[in-house]
């Protein structure tokens, strides 16, 4: 009996040793992913926190960790000493960082045009008043015509033939706070271009001449939030009464459509401003691993596809179209009325001047 028990115990021990050896061999040579930390614009946080994105980076031996900040903050006040890459939402902010740190490397793996989220009754009302035209997406918002109404302080209930939204408030697009947010600075780029006779603002004379009109576009809104998620969530949840026109990134609207979670209802529409500007998400590497993050975001097919699944437009336009088609989301028509923002210094001077009016 004792002999039989000894044989059984020996067999169990042998199996255990074999299992340990096999597991050890399987784990041999498998290193933990190297942590690489960056600071990014908040609109990319969901992308970097997605498990599929985490796994895609892990295949290349990286564990990407991110903090969020406004693009203006990243370029001016954030302590970059603890980061290996910066990933603001605009090329002017990235260019400022590159210049200050004498860095030539940079990656723009995806971008997103500025758009306006609204509702079908608002679209029809604005079409009747010449503010919306065409049929790209839900239509195009004619910025020149919009500025005419905004400059005169026109209220919604003063629009001729308005029976769908007779609200006693100014006909203004809801933006974010110009002191913090990149989307607000892109809005300023669009509005200043049109107000300047369809020319990029490039002189202090033009800045001073336009600032009273441009400041009014922000101050007359009242309270503004510091992230595009704020007004977009209000648009989705509170509806037309609170936010008839919300400045957004195209990627935000497409992201919700791609999720198919019902948050974009049948009466919701996305307008492109005419002209519009592309928010170019530009990564500036501060270390070799930070450079690898930029390379992978730009070239790795899995990461490119995942960026498209979050509504961003990667450099591979076919990947963007394929993802939208697979999910049954209409592929946006090609945008041609696109402008470039002013230089970083010009934008900063205008934003600072507007920001001082809030105090």
């Amino acid at each position: 009996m004792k002999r039989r028990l000894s044989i059984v115990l020996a067999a169990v021990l042998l199996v255990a040793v074999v299992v340990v050896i096999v597991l050890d061999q399987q784990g041999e040579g498998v290193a933990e992913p190297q942590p690489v930390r960056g600071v990014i614009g908040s609109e990319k946080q969901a992308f970097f926190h997605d498990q599929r994105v985490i796994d895609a980076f892990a295949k290349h031996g990286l564990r990407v960790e991110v903090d969020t900040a406004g693009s203006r903050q990243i370029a001016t006040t954030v302590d970059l000493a603890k980061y290996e890459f910066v990933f603001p939402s605009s090329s002017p902010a990235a260019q400022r960082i590159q210049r200050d740190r004498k860095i030539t490397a940079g990656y723009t793996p995806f971008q997103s045009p500025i758009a306006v989220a609204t509702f079908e009754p608002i679209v029809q009302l604005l079409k009747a008043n010449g503010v919306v035209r065409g049929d790209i997406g839900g239509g195009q918002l004619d910025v020149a015509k919009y500025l005419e109404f905004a400059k005169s302080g026109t209220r919604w209930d003063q629009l001729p033939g308005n029976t769908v939204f007779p609200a006693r408030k100014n006909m203004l697009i809801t933006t974010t706070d110009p002191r913090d947010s990149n989307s607000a600075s892109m809005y300023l780029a669009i509005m200043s271009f049109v107000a300047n006779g369809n020319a990029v603002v490039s002189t202090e004379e033009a800045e001073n001449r336009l600032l009273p009109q441009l400041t009014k576009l922000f101050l007359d809104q009242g309270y503004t939030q510091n992230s595009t998620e704020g007004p977009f969530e209000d648009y989705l949840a509170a509806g037309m009464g609170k936010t008839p026109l919300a400045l957004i990134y195209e990627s935000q609207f497409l992201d919700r459509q791609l999720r198919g979670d019902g948050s974009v209802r049948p009466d919701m529409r996305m307008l492109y401003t005419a002209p519009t500007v592309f928010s170019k998400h530009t990564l500036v590497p501060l270390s070799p691993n930070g450079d690898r993050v930029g390379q992978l975001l730009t070239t790795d097919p899995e990461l490119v596809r995942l960026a498209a699944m979050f509504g961003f437009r990667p450099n591979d336009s076919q990947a963007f179209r394929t993802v939208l088609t697979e999910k049954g989301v209409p592929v946006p028509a090609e945008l041609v009325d696109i402008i470039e923002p002013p230089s970083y210094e010009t934008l900063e001077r205008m934003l600072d001047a507007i920001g001082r009016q809030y105090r």
Side-chain angles (χ1 to χ4, degrees):
M1 183 70 177
K2 287 182 180 181
R3 177 180 174 80
R4 191 179 302 151
L5 183 59
S6 297
I7 293 172
V8 171
L9 287 173
V12 170
L13 286 171
L14 178 62
V15 169
V17 169
V18 169
V19 169
V20 169
I21 291 172
V22 169
L23 290 175
D24 185 62
Q25 288 177 341
Q26 286 177 342
E28 188 177 350
V30 178
E32 281 291 314
Q34 295 181 38
V36 51
R37 194 163 197 84
V39 57
I40 65 171
S42 61
E43 67 290 324
K44 295 184 286 289
Q45 185 176 35
F47 170 78
F48 278 99
H49 284 179
D50 187 272
Q51 190 60 50
R52 295 166 297 178
V53 174
I54 294 170
D55 292 343
F57 277 117
K59 290 177 184 177
H60 296 278
L62 297 179
R63 186 177 77 248
V64 179
E65 302 168 347
V66 294
D67 295 326
T68 60
S71 292
R72 291 188 72 201
Q73 294 172 306
I74 294 173
T76 55
T77 61
V78 171
D79 180 8
L80 302 184
K82 59 183 177 181
Y83 297 112
E84 296 186 70
F85 69 89
V86 295
F87 202 0
S89 305
S90 70
S91 52
Q95 289 164 6
R96 163 71 185 267
I97 296 164
Q98 288 173 310
R99 189 189 65 220
D100 288 352
R101 293 181 164 258
K102 296 179 173 56
I103 296 171
T104 57
Y107 302 89
T108 304
F110 46 75
Q111 54 191 326
S112 185
I114 293 295
V116 175
T118 185
F119 301 85
E120 179 62 20
I122 298 294
V123 171
Q124 295 307 317
L125 174 62
L126 295 180
K127 276 187 176 180
N129 284 275
V131 184
V132 169
R133 54 181 169 80
D135 56 1
I136 294 179
Q140 290 179 285
L141 188 139
D142 187 321
V143 172
K145 191 67 176 177
Y146 164 74
L147 281 176
E148 289 179 17
F149 284 106
K151 188 174 182 179
S152 64
T154 303
R155 299 194 314 264
W156 285 100
D157 63 351
Q158 293 174 328
L159 287 177
N162 181 3
T163 60
V164 297
F165 190 66
R168 288 177 292 181
K169 59 182 179 180
N170 287 356
M171 196 188 84
L172 290 172
I173 297 171
T174 299
T175 73
T176 46
D177 193 319
R179 294 168 292 183
D180 301 309
S181 170
N182 176 67
S183 63
S185 68
M186 294 297 97
Y187 175 74
L188 178 61
I190 295 168
M191 299 299 143
S192 65
F193 177 90
V194 175
N196 195 39
N198 295 320
V200 175
V201 175
S202 59
T203 66
E204 291 194 41
E205 179 278 325
E207 295 170 30
N208 295 330
R209 172 168 45 84
L210 297 171
L211 271 170
Q213 179 184 357
L214 298 172
T215 301
K216 185 178 173 66
L217 294 174
F218 292 101
L219 294 184
D220 284 1
Q221 294 179 53
Y223 170 75
T224 51
Q225 301 184 63
N226 61 10
S227 166
T228 50
E229 288 302 313
F232 186 56
E233 289 298 331
D234 285 344
Y235 163 79
L236 293 174
M240 190 167 68
K242 187 175 191 306
T243 314
L245 297 168
L247 190 79
I248 62 168
Y249 297 109
E250 175 198 61
S251 58
Q252 291 177 285
F253 201 93
L254 293 181
D255 173 40
R256 292 305 183 108
Q257 287 183 304
L258 288 165
R259 290 186 204 182
D261 59 5
S263 56
V264 175
R265 301 188 297 277
D267 67 331
M268 291 179 167
R269 299 288 181 269
M270 178 170 59
L271 302 172
Y272 295 95
T273 62
T276 191
V277 65
F278 271 81
S279 182
K280 298 177 181 178
H281 298 265
T282 304
L283 186 147
V284 179
L286 305 178
S287 76
N289 272 347
D291 193 80
R292 287 187 65 203
V293 172
Q295 290 179 18
L296 290 169
L297 286 171
T298 306
T299 62
D300 181 74
E302 188 173 3
L303 286 167
V304 168
R305 177 177 170 79
L306 287 168
M309 292 181 70
F310 277 82
F312 297 110
R313 295 188 181 213
N315 297 328
D316 183 351
S317 58
Q318 184 56 50
F320 180 68
R321 291 192 295 270
T322 298
V323 164
L324 294 181
T325 301
E326 289 175 352
K327 295 290 186 177
V329 175
V331 178
E334 183 178 357
L335 299 174
V336 295
D337 195 358
I338 301 165
I339 63 169
E340 290 296 327
S343 69
Y344 178 84
E345 290 76 15
T346 299
L347 266 180
E348 279 298 295
R349 281 195 299 268
M350 290 194 290
L351 289 166
D352 285 342
I354 293 169
R356 287 194 292 270
Q357 301 305 309
Y358 281 82
R359 296 167 188 162

